[in-house]
Protein backbone atom coordinates (compact mmCIF):
# COMPACT_ATOMS: atom_id res chain seq x y z
CA UNK A 1 0.00 0.00 0.00
CA UNK A 2 1.30 3.35 -0.94
CA UNK A 3 0.90 6.39 1.19
CA UNK A 4 1.77 9.97 0.37
CA UNK A 5 3.48 11.67 3.29
CA UNK A 6 4.13 15.30 3.28
CA UNK A 7 2.75 17.92 1.07
CA UNK A 8 3.92 18.23 -2.39
CA UNK A 9 2.48 20.83 -4.61
CA UNK A 10 1.10 18.29 -7.02
CA UNK A 11 -2.27 16.57 -6.69
CA UNK A 12 -1.41 13.02 -7.70
CA UNK A 13 -4.20 10.60 -8.41
CA UNK A 14 -3.98 7.24 -6.69
CA UNK A 15 -3.80 4.63 -9.47
CA UNK A 16 -4.14 1.54 -7.27
CA UNK A 17 -7.27 -0.54 -6.72
CA UNK A 18 -8.54 -0.82 -3.17
CA UNK A 19 -8.85 -4.61 -2.78
CA UNK A 20 -10.26 -4.67 0.76
CA UNK A 21 -13.96 -4.54 -0.33
CA UNK A 22 -13.27 -7.17 -2.98
CA UNK A 23 -11.74 -9.51 -0.42
CA UNK A 24 -14.63 -8.89 2.00
CA UNK A 25 -17.22 -9.76 -0.64
CA UNK A 26 -15.31 -12.88 -1.69
CA UNK A 27 -15.09 -14.07 1.94
CA UNK A 28 -18.83 -13.59 2.42
CA UNK A 29 -19.54 -15.54 -0.77
CA UNK A 30 -17.18 -18.32 0.35
CA UNK A 31 -18.95 -18.57 3.71
CA UNK A 32 -22.35 -18.72 2.00
CA UNK A 33 -21.09 -21.48 -0.30
CA UNK A 34 -19.73 -23.49 2.62
CA UNK A 35 -23.05 -23.18 4.45
CA UNK A 36 -25.26 -24.15 1.49
CA UNK A 37 -23.32 -27.19 0.21
CA UNK A 38 -24.46 -29.57 3.01
CA UNK A 39 -28.09 -28.55 2.45
CA UNK A 40 -27.88 -29.47 -1.24
CA UNK A 41 -26.48 -32.93 -0.58
CA UNK A 42 -29.40 -34.09 1.57
CA UNK A 43 -31.85 -36.32 -0.26
CA UNK A 44 -35.58 -36.39 0.34
CA UNK A 45 -37.18 -39.83 0.25
CA UNK A 46 -40.46 -39.88 -1.67
CA UNK A 47 -42.86 -42.77 -2.09
CA UNK A 48 -43.74 -42.46 -5.74
CA UNK A 49 -46.48 -44.63 -7.26
CA UNK A 50 -45.31 -47.36 -9.59
CA UNK A 51 -46.23 -47.10 -13.23
CA UNK A 52 -48.61 -49.82 -14.31
CA UNK A 53 -48.98 -50.42 -18.02
CA UNK A 54 -52.41 -49.44 -19.21
CA UNK A 55 -54.59 -51.79 -21.17
CA UNK A 56 -54.20 -51.34 -24.90
CA UNK A 57 -57.05 -49.56 -26.58
CA UNK A 58 -59.14 -51.46 -29.07
CA UNK A 59 -58.36 -50.60 -32.65
CA UNK A 60 -61.12 -48.57 -34.24
CA UNK A 61 -63.07 -50.07 -37.08
CA UNK A 62 -62.07 -48.38 -40.30
CA UNK A 63 -64.90 -47.80 -42.73
CA UNK A 64 -64.11 -46.91 -46.31
CA UNK A 65 -66.77 -45.05 -48.25
CA UNK A 66 -66.19 -44.54 -51.96
CA UNK A 67 -68.24 -42.62 -54.47
CA UNK A 68 -67.91 -43.83 -58.04
CA UNK A 69 -68.06 -41.50 -61.06
CA UNK A 70 -71.63 -42.67 -61.72
CA UNK A 71 -72.61 -41.49 -58.17
CA UNK A 72 -72.79 -45.03 -56.82
CA UNK A 73 -71.88 -45.35 -53.14
CA UNK A 74 -69.53 -48.14 -52.01
CA UNK A 75 -69.33 -49.21 -48.34
CA UNK A 76 -66.06 -51.12 -47.70
CA UNK A 77 -65.98 -52.13 -51.35
CA UNK A 78 -69.63 -53.25 -51.51
CA UNK A 79 -71.92 -51.33 -53.81
CA UNK A 80 -74.99 -49.99 -52.00
CA UNK A 81 -78.21 -49.96 -54.01
CA UNK A 82 -79.60 -46.70 -52.57
CA UNK A 83 -79.19 -44.02 -49.88
CA UNK A 84 -81.39 -45.90 -47.40
CA UNK A 85 -78.89 -48.77 -47.42
CA UNK A 86 -76.16 -46.23 -46.59
CA UNK A 87 -78.14 -45.03 -43.57
CA UNK A 88 -78.66 -48.65 -42.46
CA UNK A 89 -74.92 -49.35 -42.70
CA UNK A 90 -74.13 -46.16 -40.81
CA UNK A 91 -76.49 -46.96 -37.94
CA UNK A 92 -75.16 -50.54 -37.79
CA UNK A 93 -71.62 -49.24 -37.66
CA UNK A 94 -72.45 -46.91 -34.77
CA UNK A 95 -73.94 -49.75 -32.74
CA UNK A 96 -70.94 -52.05 -33.24
CA UNK A 97 -68.30 -49.46 -32.28
CA UNK A 98 -69.84 -48.58 -28.93
Amino acid sequence: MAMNVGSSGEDDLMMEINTTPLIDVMLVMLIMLIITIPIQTHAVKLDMPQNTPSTPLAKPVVVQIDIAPDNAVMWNGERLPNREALETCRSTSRRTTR
Side-chain angles (χ1 to χ4, degrees), residues 34-69:
I34 291 171
I35 290 172
T36 58
I37 284 178
I39 294 172
Q40 293 177 355
T41 58
H42 291 160
V44 176
K45 301 289 183 185
L46 295 176
D47 293 329
M48 300 294 290
Q50 297 297 324
N51 186 13
T52 57
S54 60
T55 58
L57 298 175
K59 282 191 156 185
V61 178
V62 178
V63 176
Q64 181 179 355
I65 299 176
D66 298 322
I67 300 177

Side-chain angles (χ1 to χ4, degrees), residues 1-4 11-19:
M1 297 235 206
M3 195 166 110
N4 289 337
D11 289 332
D12 292 333
L13 293 176
M14 191 172 189
M15 298 303 258
E16 298 170 358
I17 296 175
N18 188 3
T19 58

Side-chain angles (χ1 to χ4, degrees), residues 65 73-75 80 82-91:
I65 299 176
V73 178
M74 313 261 293
W75 180 277
L80 298 177
N82 53 22
R83 297 281 177 182
E84 290 80 26
L86 178 64
E87 291 297 323
T88 305
C89 289
R90 192 171 100 185
S91 63

